[in-house]
Amino acid sequence: MIDVRSDTVTKPTPEMRQAIANAEVGDDVYGDDPTVNELEDLAASMVGKEAALFVPSGTFGNQLALFTWCKRGSEVLLGEDCHIIQHEAGAASVIAGVQTRPLPAPTGMLDPEDIEKRIRGTDIHYPATSLICMENAHSAGTVVPLAHMEAVYAIAQKHKIPVHLDGARLFNAAAALEVDAKKIAAYTDSVMFCLSKGLCTPVGSMLSGPKEFIDRARRNRKIMGGGMRQAGILAAAGILALTTMTGRLKEDHRRARRLAQGLGAIPGVQVATDRLDINMVFFSVPSLASEEKGRQFIEVLKSYNILANPPEQGNFRFVTHYWISDEDIETIVRACKQAMTTVQ
């Protein structure tokens, strides 16, 4: 099957499976797993932070950051379309006990002036502003420029409020901006990035930040049930993800642009050309606007051995990754062209 539902569907490479089989392990809750320790040191150094913590997932890492930075009943400022708001099941209210205050940020860019206006004062009726969250790369398929992140971070520092970055696809952002990941993380106090989105590891994400913050997060990870034991078998794949897989992400971006070009050439397909920064292609097909026709389109693709998600608010999203080849791109375009004729 050609699977374009997400870059989370990537399976471990043969080298990762070998590393998993041979991993040296210990009890990570005791700090005894040498492979986890190596991964955490590597992750911290790659984003220019003092320390890092291995966590089960990206959602876990983001919620752990909120839980660690924020007092219960305080308020977090973040984009209304960001992953923490849209795709983490309302966890901020359950785990950290915080109030989220969403701001317009359609391409991931929070307006610095809007942020400053919404930072709470000391009136007893207000919740305290405890954290500002950014997302880069954004799940809308866009990358936030460094200058914009710098402007947001300057406001946060002025008001002594920490900044957390949902960097689930941090290395995609770095590849798109042609900078080291440290440059992006420099405008944050903590950063989460995934090892299982496009980097082929089976499980895991990293939370990085100051040592004192990570020490507190380690305890909170235990509270959240994320203390893993012989996790070195997972960390071994993570080390390969960071040392080898991050360097090839431009290939996924190139294939996404090629896919966008092919889809855009099909009559009736409208590609969101302003959202092609990373490995995602968003497009709409007005003739398939109804939910029923959208699902029929997906079913026809499945008959061509292509797995895709149904449209969300009228938009399809195809995601390229390690297991999508140049030949697969051509197959997808041909199948979409045929599927459109079938559903019509």
Side-chain angles (χ1 to χ4, degrees), residues 72-75 99 101 117-129:
R72 297 186 73 79
S74 64
E75 186 171 76
Q99 174 169 296
R101 193 175 188 187
K117 286 176 187 174
R118 286 167 174 78
I119 292 174
R120 300 287 193 172
T122 55
D123 189 298
I124 62 169
H125 298 89
Y126 297 156
T129 305

Side-chain angles (χ1 to χ4, degrees), residues 24-337:
E24 187 180 356
V25 298
D27 191 320
D28 181 49
V29 174
Y30 285 111
D32 292 343
D33 193 303
T35 312
V36 172
N37 294 341
E38 182 184 348
L39 172 63
E40 290 177 343
D41 289 344
L42 173 63
S45 69
M46 288 183 72
V47 294
K49 300 300 183 187
E50 288 181 340
L53 185 64
F54 186 43
V55 296
S57 71
T59 294
F60 193 112
N62 282 334
Q63 295 304 324
L64 178 58
L66 269 61
F67 188 28
T68 305
W69 281 122
C70 308
K71 290 183 178 178
R72 297 186 73 79
S74 64
E75 186 171 76
V76 177
L77 301 180
L78 69 183
E80 64 185 4
D81 295 317
C82 75
H83 194 277
I84 292 173
I85 288 286
Q86 296 290 346
H87 295 108
E88 299 190 7
S93 62
V94 178
I95 298 170
V98 296
Q99 174 169 296
T100 53
R101 193 175 188 187
L103 284 69
T107 58
M109 289 194 282
L110 297 159
D111 186 321
E113 290 185 7
D114 283 353
I115 291 173
E116 190 142 39
K117 286 176 187 174
R118 286 167 174 78
I119 292 174
R120 300 287 193 172
T122 55
D123 189 298
I124 62 169
H125 298 89
Y126 297 156
T129 305
S130 57
L131 188 67
I132 296 168
C133 293
M134 291 191 279
E135 184 176 338
N136 203 11
H138 195 270
S139 49
T142 54
V143 169
V144 180
L146 289 180
H148 187 86
M149 292 188 67
E150 183 178 16
V152 171
Y153 194 52
I155 289 169
Q157 288 189 305
K158 173 183 170 183
H159 293 275
K160 297 182 171 55
I161 299 169
V163 170
H164 171 67
L165 176 66
D166 175 357
R169 296 180 177 88
L170 174 67
F171 294 98
N172 290 91
L177 293 171
E178 298 185 330
V179 300
D180 193 286
K182 289 178 186 176
K183 294 282 189 182
I184 300 173
Y187 302 115
T188 71
D189 295 289
S190 64
V191 56
M192 183 284 298
F193 59 88
C194 293
L195 303 171
S196 57
K197 282 190 172 74
L199 300 181
C200 289
T201 62
V203 177
S205 293
M206 306 303 302
L207 178 63
S208 299
K211 184 180 183 304
E212 185 273 336
F213 167 79
I214 293 298
D215 286 344
R216 288 189 290 121
R218 192 175 295 276
R219 175 180 173 81
N220 288 342
R221 182 185 70 172
K222 181 66 175 174
I223 292 171
M224 290 170 64
M228 297 176 283
R229 299 299 177 174
Q230 287 72 32
I233 58 172
L234 301 175
I239 290 169
L240 282 174
L242 294 181
T243 55
T244 64
M245 302 303 286
T246 55
R248 57 154 307 278
L249 292 174
K250 283 187 177 182
E251 295 179 30
D252 298 337
H253 298 184
R254 175 182 61 78
R255 289 191 176 105
R257 289 190 292 271
R258 184 172 172 179
L259 176 58
Q261 186 178 17
L263 292 172
I266 302 173
V269 174
Q270 298 174 358
V271 175
T273 54
D274 57 340
R275 296 161 65 184
L276 283 171
D277 291 344
I278 54 171
N279 60 326
M280 297 178 179
V281 181
F282 291 86
F283 66 96
S284 60
V285 185
S287 64
L288 304 178
S290 72
E291 184 177 339
E292 182 185 353
K293 284 192 174 182
R295 291 190 176 277
Q296 286 176 4
F297 179 73
I298 295 304
E299 286 303 312
V300 175
L301 289 183
K302 193 181 291 185
S303 71
Y304 287 92
N305 290 327
I306 296 167
L307 290 177
N309 284 325
E312 187 173 332
Q313 297 180 340
N315 287 309
F316 294 90
R317 185 191 76 165
F318 287 1
V319 184
T320 58
H321 49 75
Y322 179 81
W323 297 104
I324 303 291
S325 67
D326 288 330
E327 292 74 18
D328 292 336
I329 298 297
E330 303 306 322
T331 301
I332 294 165
V333 172
R334 285 195 303 269
C336 285
K337 192 180 297 185

